[in-house]
Amino acid sequence: MLELKDFEAAADRLKNVIHNIPLSTSATFSAMTGAEVYLKYENQQKTGSFKVRGAYNKIMKRYAEGDLHAVVASSAGNHAQGVAFAASSVGVKSTIVMPRSTPIAKVSATQGYGADVVLAGNIYDEAYAKACEICEETGAEFIHPFDDEDVMAGQGTIALEILRDLPFVDMIFVPAGGGGLISGVAACAKQINPRIQIIGVQAEGAPAIANSFRAGERKPSDSVHTIADGIAVKTPGEKTFEYIQKYVDRVVTVSDDEIASAVLLLLERCKQVVETSGAAPLAAVLNNKVDVKGKKVVCVLSGGNIDVSFIHKIVEKGLITRCRQLKFSVLMPDAPGALERFSHIVAQQNANIILFQHDRVQTDLEIGEAIIHVVCEVGGVDHAKRLIDTLGREGYRVFTSQI
């Protein structure tokens, strides 16, 4: 099993490579939760993710042994960039197998670090199988994204930095997919201070570690479906699960809506671009998955490599989830002035119409009726309720599933 000296050795290899990013406290999130919330911004890390830590530690250790000539990895993007960066820094050829669904930005960034990219499969596990085939054909060494103790030691250096900045931390929330990050952080932190609680966070649509943790044995998921592509793993690692059982206190899940809302909050309140998997720990804290009141809490925001075109979708989903946008339909007379009267009422309530569709041919409408479908910008649930209540008092039949 990994010992504290292994994490310290990894930190020594990384000290002139990675960015030193101190913890940041958030007054906003602290007020929302009743805890002291600190954020570990690994989205600002070199290559945009914590993954460079484990990949660099593994490759540098193997390169120093003198027999590393080519490497292969499978990854949804972040591990890929870490491997490509580390390999190119010592002149070693790298081939990265990525799922076909990987965001274009991650593919381009990986190629930019000098790797050959092969797209195969729809999820990580299928890309992993292809990477193993390439290793057999070429004799290159496989760099596992999580189920490798050298990789885990590199990821665990995050815990050394957290405890340097916040020695009396009570809880550390860590995203969990295959388990490399959480196993490394947990093993390192617990060996320094066993009272620290380590909380793993998974997406509801990819809960393999959560299910395995409850069962006490590895239980692969039949399928995965989540916007958090970085933690969309069907099967926990064998080695990582041993560490998770030994050192992790609890594993919780969050919904895609909760993740989207956390991404939006980080954009709005912290001016930070954090990818969906990286926002999962904050989503868990904000949605009371664990009682954090009165605790010193650290959320590891594991990466920021999100496709720019996908940010729009996340923002839209987050706005709907937080009732910053309200979708509803209204039945009204199909008569001159009806739309003007409706628009005037909405304006008086300080709501802004951003989408409007007028329908007078729906089959269940009476002659002389029309139904309009509206999306409004509102200030939250209370504002939305006031708008709906006002429309009701004015004689409109309103249909919405949001509130």
Side-chain angles (χ1 to χ4, degrees):
M1 300 289 282
L2 288 168
E3 299 178 5
L4 190 56
K5 64 181 181 181
D6 297 309
F7 297 105
E8 292 170 341
D12 190 60
R13 294 186 187 98
L14 291 165
K15 66 182 179 182
N16 295 319
V17 177
I18 63 171
H19 300 315
N20 184 357
I21 307 165
L23 288 179
S24 294
T25 186
S26 170
T28 297
F29 300 144
S30 296
M32 291 171 67
T33 60
E36 290 183 34
V37 178
Y38 296 82
L39 305 174
K40 181 64 171 171
Y41 286 128
E42 285 296 291
N43 60 308
Q44 298 179 4
Q45 190 52 264
K46 191 182 291 289
T47 74
S49 163
F50 77 97
K51 285 284 191 178
V52 68
R53 296 172 181 267
Y56 196 91
N57 185 56
K58 174 68 175 182
I59 288 175
M60 289 303 103
K61 185 177 179 181
R62 288 288 296 114
Y63 185 75
E65 294 169 357
D67 59 348
L68 185 67
H69 306 291
V71 296
V72 174
S74 54
S75 170
N78 290 335
H79 178 63
Q81 294 175 56
V83 170
F85 170 80
S88 64
S89 67
V90 292
V92 170
K93 175 181 171 57
S94 61
T95 301
I96 311 297
V97 185
M98 309 179 84
R100 294 189 184 95
S101 59
T102 302
I104 295 172
K106 291 185 178 182
V107 175
S108 299
T110 303
Q111 293 170 330
Y113 285 114
D116 293 332
V117 174
V118 176
L119 298 178
N122 295 314
I123 59 173
Y124 165 77
D125 302 77
E126 295 170 357
Y128 169 71
K130 180 62 177 179
C132 291
E133 291 179 16
I134 294 174
C135 286
E136 291 180 5
E137 295 169 358
T138 63
E141 182 166 338
F142 183 71
I143 308 296
H144 203 286
F146 51 84
D147 210 25
D148 182 293
E149 288 187 331
D150 292 330
V151 171
M152 292 155 60
Q155 322 300 32
T157 58
I158 289 176
L160 294 177
E161 296 172 11
I162 290 173
L163 290 170
R164 175 200 64 200
D165 294 346
L166 191 66
F168 300 107
V169 59
D170 295 306
M171 295 179 173
I172 304 176
F173 285 73
V174 188
L181 175 59
I182 190 170
S183 57
V185 169
C188 183
K190 288 282 193 177
Q191 289 182 59
I192 296 172
N193 184 353
R195 77 168 186 82
I196 298 172
Q197 292 187 55
I198 307 297
I199 313 297
V201 185
Q202 289 208 287
E204 288 180 355
I209 288 180
N211 293 340
S212 300
F213 189 78
R214 286 192 293 268
E217 60 180 350
R218 289 201 308 151
K219 285 189 170 295
S221 299
D222 293 331
S223 61
V224 297
H225 182 73
T226 175
I227 61 173
D229 59 295
I231 52 176
V233 179
K234 289 177 67 176
T235 308
E238 291 183 21
K239 296 176 182 177
T240 59
F241 188 63
E242 292 179 21
Y243 284 86
I244 290 168
Q245 283 188 302
K246 182 174 182 179
Y247 292 115
V248 173
D249 295 279
R250 189 171 173 184
V251 182
V252 299
T253 60
V254 289
S255 70
D256 279 1
D257 284 349
E258 291 166 339
I259 291 171
S261 182
V263 171
L264 182 58
L265 277 168
L266 286 162
L267 280 169
E268 282 188 327
R269 304 300 178 87
C270 303
K271 316 308 178 197
Q272 294 288 326
V273 177
V274 178
E275 61 190 80
T276 46
S277 54
L282 181 61
V285 171
L286 294 179
N287 289 280
N288 303 310
K289 303 297 180 176
V290 177
D291 183 9
V292 298
K293 286 184 173 60
K295 304 292 186 181
K296 292 180 173 65
V297 173
V298 173
C299 296
V300 178
L301 308 181
S302 57
N305 292 319
I306 187 170
D307 195 306
V308 174
S309 64
F310 192 58
I311 292 177
H312 174 72
K313 298 177 183 179
I314 292 295
V315 169
E316 289 293 322
K317 190 173 184 66
L319 289 171
I320 292 293
T321 301
R322 294 168 55 198
C323 210
R324 294 282 300 281
Q325 290 185 358
L326 176 66
K327 299 173 67 175
F328 62 96
S329 300
V330 176
L331 195 67
M332 67 171 55
D334 184 18
L339 291 178
E340 181 182 8
R341 178 173 181 266
F342 169 79
S343 300
H344 181 68
I345 294 169
V346 172
Q348 284 185 322
Q349 294 301 309
N350 294 316
N352 183 38
I353 297 174
I354 59 175
L355 186 148
F356 187 95
Q357 182 182 10
H358 185 267
D359 184 0
R360 56 159 60 98
V361 295
Q362 193 165 305
T363 55
D364 56 351
L365 290 174
E366 298 289 341
I367 295 175
E369 288 183 334
I371 190 165
I372 60 171
H373 307 287
V374 183
V375 178
C376 281
E377 289 180 329
V378 291
V381 174
D382 290 342
H383 188 190
K385 287 181 177 178
R386 288 197 301 272
L387 174 60
I388 297 301
D389 290 345
T390 299
L391 289 171
R393 288 195 299 271
E394 294 291 335
Y396 292 99
R397 291 175 59 191
V398 183
F399 308 93
T400 180
S401 59
Q402 278 186 251
I403 57 175

